[in-house]
Amino acid sequence: DAGGDVSISGRMIADGADFGGGDVIVVSRTGSVTISSVVSNNGGSPDGEAGEFDISAQGDIRLSAGAELRGRGGKGADDDCGDGATMFLTTTLGSIFIAGEINVNGGYQCFGGEIDIESGLDFEQVGNGKIFTDTAGGYGAGGPVEISAERDVSLLKIDASASGGFGGDILVTANGTITVNGQLNASASGEFGVASRIILEACTINVLAPDGELRSQGTNTFVGFGRNELRIRGSGDGILTGKLYASREDPPDEPLAVPKNLITYREGQPVFAGVADPPITFVQDETLLECVNSCGDGIVAAPEVCDDGNTQSCDGCSRNCLPDNVCGDGIVECGEQCDDGNEIPGDGCENDCTPSGQAEEGVFIQSRGTRVGCQAQWRVKVPNPLTDKKGKPANKQRCIDGDHSCDLDGEINDSCSFEMQACVNLPDDDLPNCDAARRVNRVRLMRPLKSSRNAWDQINAQNLLEGLKTLGTTVEAEGITLQTGAPVDGLSVCGAKTEVVIPLAGKAATKNFKLRSANENGQVMKKGQVELTCERNESICGDGLAEPGELCDDGNANACDGCFLCRTETCGNGILDCGEQCDAGLLNGAEGSRCSPQCTIVAPELRIPGGGGKGIDCMFQWSTEMDTAQVFRNKAGVPRARQFCFDGNPGCDFDTTPGNCRMRVFACVGEANETLGCAATSVDDLTLRRPKSSARAGFERAARNAVLEGLGSLNFPTEPGEGCSTMIELNIPRGETLRLSTKAFGARDDGDSLRLTCQ
């Protein structure tokens, strides 16, 4: 890690023996990185996985002729092998030049490594530059190679093939020109071989004869795979040469079939004068991105809303060039405690994106007697309490059936559920002759009676007595001592909140609640009484008038507009409203509940490390919602950073749409992982590296936005063991693989990736 240039001319070996290879992290914060030797983090045989390469610079990155980056998996027999390394090469203001060899082969029947290259200017394979992510064995898979550059890309040789399993994707994008002067290979041979995809997208694409070649051939055909695609954003007028070899075409009746050799263009169909098998299919696609400036270059160009010259969030312009930290946009981000998408005060989230204050906890009904009235009082939760001639809460209170502010069940159901609570030793300025410090040592419930013939009186009496017992003092009822206790210490001590129900009879019904108490000096308070009345609700939902029992009334029955069936669409009402992932009402946040207090689904226990350093790989971990038996693991039982979901499998596909998997993931930071042997840690910041903001596929762009929104629920810096993001739902078309990649920053950095495939 250097402030200026980094030069590596000596061998650096971080190979594993019986286990995985180590990580190689090289950073130049203002300069360039030059590697002119062998740098290696191979996995040990038989089943060691290679480590991770993470090489970043503000300026250029150069791999000199004769130099090598090696990250090969263990070479055990059959599936007793290891995966190749994950590699990130990133420049912000420079170019990347590869004149040496990058080799991240997978072990026999395992996976080749993943290579992710992002250049602030150009990417060039020069001289004898080569990239290998291939693998061997009937069930192995070549690793994916993804390259993006703000200007031009020049390619010589990339081998992501598999001799028997799946080939690896080769995906290249550039804002300028892509030139291919050698072979790009995503093929797969053998009995079970299925080739992958080579997709090039740029303003101009040149596959040059005689050496330029794209090869995606496989023994078996698979919908959406075994194909080559050139996507030309600029004018397609011109002549294309080179060789394009792909798998045989999908059956014509297959609804998701895609031509195996496809050239899409924004305007002006090109002429292909090379060799193609199967023949080229031309398709005009006006939705291809125009050749415009990119996010982070300081120039606002559609579809950007802002561009402040960087890709950092929480500085007014987000990493995908949308305004961030905007209270009222419905996205909880950048330190906001809540964001309900409006500026309505008192609806649970204020217009400064902080939670609304708690509702008034209730009023105390003063007991009669100036010398004993401070001994015990009922507290009743009612809005706008009725008052006596002195302006104090009267001992007669009322509630309208369904009025959420006083009827606990909030339902118009011919009854009112009041919240009541007994409190003792209450200082009261209106009772100067009553000494609250004289401790209450006995309370007696006078009304209602447990022996009543009325079933609701029996239930209410039992509930109130249970609340009185929590005071810890002696409790009596109907001449019987139900609990023996000590005098209550302290001032303003309240028992547990209890619920009493008053069923309607006609237009209104009233119940009487009476409490008696005594203190340690023998003084007795005889008349702690309140009468509660439940009134019938005459409100009409939908008339546009917010009447008693209605939290709102917007004059319609439309959902997702803030008011639905005269209920404010808020978390905790037990109804799944717009924008909520779940709502279990009072069970939100309870032990064992998968629904949080914010109405988001809590992450499952599964943790996928994703490929960082073994001692710090729990800084960031992915989690997915899938049946335990479906989780793809290595021999040590650790979940792999590649997971599969079969279309229509309810254990991992959470929609019923054929041809699409809706998968659920969570981003978890700071948690300890005993399997990895790493402790809980703090995370200062987090960067999403894949999907990119420049992603071409619609499902990738949608996934990026979904992941960014989910990451926005994490507030950085975090404390050790903080937890996980809100649930992130990702739609992945059948036959597609979505790559997720992040980098967590702290005392040490942890890069993680996850590949999700819909089969």
Short mmCIF file of all heavy atoms in Angstrom, two decimals, residues 1 37 69 152-153 252-254 267 276 333 343 504 531 546 567 586 622 640 677:
data_model
loop_
_atom_site.label_atom_id
_atom_site.label_comp_id
_atom_site.label_asym_id
_atom_site.label_seq_id
_atom_site.Cartn_x
_atom_site.Cartn_y
_atom_site.Cartn_z
N ASP A 1 0.87 -1.17 0.00
CA ASP A 1 0.00 0.00 0.00
C ASP A 1 0.90 1.22 0.00
O ASP A 1 1.63 1.46 0.96
CB ASP A 1 -0.91 -0.03 1.23
CG ASP A 1 -1.96 1.09 1.19
OD1 ASP A 1 -1.73 2.11 0.53
OD2 ASP A 1 -3.00 0.90 1.82
N SER A 37 7.55 -9.65 -12.33
CA SER A 37 8.01 -10.93 -11.82
C SER A 37 6.81 -11.86 -11.66
O SER A 37 5.72 -11.57 -12.16
CB SER A 37 8.70 -10.74 -10.47
OG SER A 37 7.79 -10.17 -9.54
N LEU A 69 0.82 -13.48 -13.10
CA LEU A 69 -0.07 -13.51 -11.94
C LEU A 69 -0.71 -14.89 -11.93
O LEU A 69 -1.49 -15.22 -12.83
CB LEU A 69 -1.13 -12.42 -12.03
CG LEU A 69 -0.64 -10.97 -11.99
CD1 LEU A 69 -1.83 -10.01 -12.15
CD2 LEU A 69 0.09 -10.68 -10.69
N ASP A 152 -10.74 2.66 -24.77
CA ASP A 152 -10.62 1.55 -25.73
C ASP A 152 -10.13 0.28 -25.06
O ASP A 152 -9.45 0.30 -24.03
CB ASP A 152 -9.64 1.94 -26.84
CG ASP A 152 -10.07 3.18 -27.60
OD1 ASP A 152 -11.30 3.40 -27.70
OD2 ASP A 152 -9.19 3.92 -28.08
N VAL A 153 -10.45 -0.87 -25.72
CA VAL A 153 -10.00 -2.19 -25.28
C VAL A 153 -9.35 -2.89 -26.47
O VAL A 153 -9.93 -2.92 -27.57
CB VAL A 153 -11.16 -3.04 -24.73
CG1 VAL A 153 -10.71 -4.47 -24.50
CG2 VAL A 153 -11.70 -2.44 -23.44
N PRO A 252 -36.42 -23.90 -32.72
CA PRO A 252 -37.17 -22.69 -33.11
C PRO A 252 -38.39 -22.42 -32.24
O PRO A 252 -38.85 -21.28 -32.16
CB PRO A 252 -37.56 -22.97 -34.56
CG PRO A 252 -37.48 -24.46 -34.70
CD PRO A 252 -36.39 -24.92 -33.79
N ASP A 253 -38.93 -23.45 -31.57
CA ASP A 253 -40.11 -23.25 -30.72
C ASP A 253 -39.74 -22.88 -29.29
O ASP A 253 -40.61 -22.72 -28.44
CB ASP A 253 -40.99 -24.50 -30.71
CG ASP A 253 -40.23 -25.74 -30.22
OD1 ASP A 253 -38.99 -25.68 -30.12
OD2 ASP A 253 -40.89 -26.75 -29.94
N GLU A 254 -38.44 -22.74 -29.01
CA GLU A 254 -38.01 -22.35 -27.67
C GLU A 254 -38.25 -20.86 -27.47
O GLU A 254 -37.68 -20.03 -28.17
CB GLU A 254 -36.52 -22.67 -27.49
CG GLU A 254 -35.89 -22.10 -26.23
CD GLU A 254 -36.59 -22.51 -24.95
OE1 GLU A 254 -36.72 -23.73 -24.73
OE2 GLU A 254 -37.03 -21.61 -24.21
N GLU A 267 -27.74 2.04 -34.95
CA GLU A 267 -28.14 2.63 -36.22
C GLU A 267 -27.14 2.25 -37.30
O GLU A 267 -25.94 2.13 -37.04
CB GLU A 267 -28.24 4.15 -36.10
CG GLU A 267 -26.97 4.83 -35.61
CD GLU A 267 -27.11 6.33 -35.49
OE1 GLU A 267 -27.12 7.00 -36.54
OE2 GLU A 267 -27.23 6.80 -34.34
N ALA A 276 -18.59 -17.07 -40.18
CA ALA A 276 -19.51 -17.24 -39.05
C ALA A 276 -20.23 -18.57 -39.16
O ALA A 276 -20.76 -18.92 -40.22
CB ALA A 276 -20.53 -16.10 -39.02
N GLU A 333 -31.13 6.22 3.32
CA GLU A 333 -29.75 6.26 2.89
C GLU A 333 -28.99 7.32 3.65
O GLU A 333 -29.56 8.22 4.24
CB GLU A 333 -29.66 6.56 1.38
CG GLU A 333 -30.35 7.87 1.02
CD GLU A 333 -30.48 8.10 -0.48
OE1 GLU A 333 -29.84 7.39 -1.25
OE2 GLU A 333 -31.23 9.01 -0.86
N GLU A 343 -43.46 14.25 3.05
CA GLU A 343 -43.08 15.25 4.05
C GLU A 343 -44.22 15.51 5.02
O GLU A 343 -44.39 16.61 5.54
CB GLU A 343 -42.65 16.55 3.36
CG GLU A 343 -41.41 16.39 2.47
CD GLU A 343 -40.95 17.69 1.86
OE1 GLU A 343 -41.62 18.71 2.07
OE2 GLU A 343 -39.91 17.69 1.16
N LEU A 504 -69.87 -3.11 22.98
CA LEU A 504 -70.97 -2.19 22.74
C LEU A 504 -72.32 -2.86 22.99
O LEU A 504 -72.51 -4.05 22.72
CB LEU A 504 -70.92 -1.68 21.31
CG LEU A 504 -70.02 -0.46 21.06
CD1 LEU A 504 -69.88 -0.23 19.57
CD2 LEU A 504 -70.59 0.76 21.74
N GLU A 531 -64.66 5.94 34.87
CA GLU A 531 -65.70 5.33 34.04
C GLU A 531 -65.29 5.48 32.58
O GLU A 531 -65.01 6.59 32.11
CB GLU A 531 -67.05 6.02 34.27
CG GLU A 531 -67.66 5.75 35.63
CD GLU A 531 -69.04 6.39 35.77
OE1 GLU A 531 -69.51 7.02 34.78
OE2 GLU A 531 -69.64 6.27 36.85
N ALA A 546 -61.61 12.78 7.52
CA ALA A 546 -60.94 11.98 8.53
C ALA A 546 -61.76 12.04 9.81
O ALA A 546 -61.66 12.98 10.59
CB ALA A 546 -59.52 12.48 8.77
N ARG A 567 -56.70 3.54 6.74
CA ARG A 567 -55.55 3.25 7.59
C ARG A 567 -54.33 3.89 6.95
O ARG A 567 -54.13 3.79 5.75
CB ARG A 567 -55.29 1.75 7.69
CG ARG A 567 -56.30 0.96 8.50
CD ARG A 567 -55.92 -0.52 8.41
NE ARG A 567 -56.72 -1.34 9.28
CZ ARG A 567 -56.42 -1.61 10.55
NH1 ARG A 567 -55.31 -1.11 11.06
NH2 ARG A 567 -57.19 -2.37 11.29
N LEU A 586 -47.39 -6.57 16.15
CA LEU A 586 -46.68 -6.53 17.42
C LEU A 586 -45.51 -7.50 17.47
O LEU A 586 -44.64 -7.38 18.34
CB LEU A 586 -47.66 -6.85 18.56
CG LEU A 586 -48.80 -5.83 18.77
CD1 LEU A 586 -49.72 -6.30 19.88
CD2 LEU A 586 -48.23 -4.46 19.11
N TRP A 622 -22.14 -12.41 2.09
CA TRP A 622 -23.46 -12.46 1.49
C TRP A 622 -24.32 -13.47 2.21
O TRP A 622 -23.82 -14.40 2.85
CB TRP A 622 -23.36 -12.87 0.01
CG TRP A 622 -22.66 -11.89 -0.87
CD1 TRP A 622 -21.37 -11.98 -1.33
CD2 TRP A 622 -23.18 -10.67 -1.39
NE1 TRP A 622 -21.06 -10.89 -2.11
CE2 TRP A 622 -22.16 -10.08 -2.17
CE3 TRP A 622 -24.41 -10.03 -1.29
CZ2 TRP A 622 -22.33 -8.88 -2.84
CZ3 TRP A 622 -24.59 -8.82 -1.96
CH2 TRP A 622 -23.57 -8.26 -2.71
N ARG A 640 -20.07 -21.90 -1.13
CA ARG A 640 -19.28 -21.35 -2.21
C ARG A 640 -19.84 -20.00 -2.66
O ARG A 640 -21.01 -19.69 -2.43
CB ARG A 640 -19.24 -22.30 -3.40
CG ARG A 640 -18.40 -23.55 -3.17
CD ARG A 640 -18.37 -24.39 -4.44
NE ARG A 640 -17.56 -25.58 -4.29
CZ ARG A 640 -16.27 -25.65 -4.56
NH1 ARG A 640 -15.65 -24.57 -4.99
NH2 ARG A 640 -15.60 -26.77 -4.43
N GLY A 677 -12.84 -18.64 11.25
CA GLY A 677 -11.89 -18.27 12.29
C GLY A 677 -11.63 -16.79 12.36
O GLY A 677 -10.54 -16.37 12.77
#
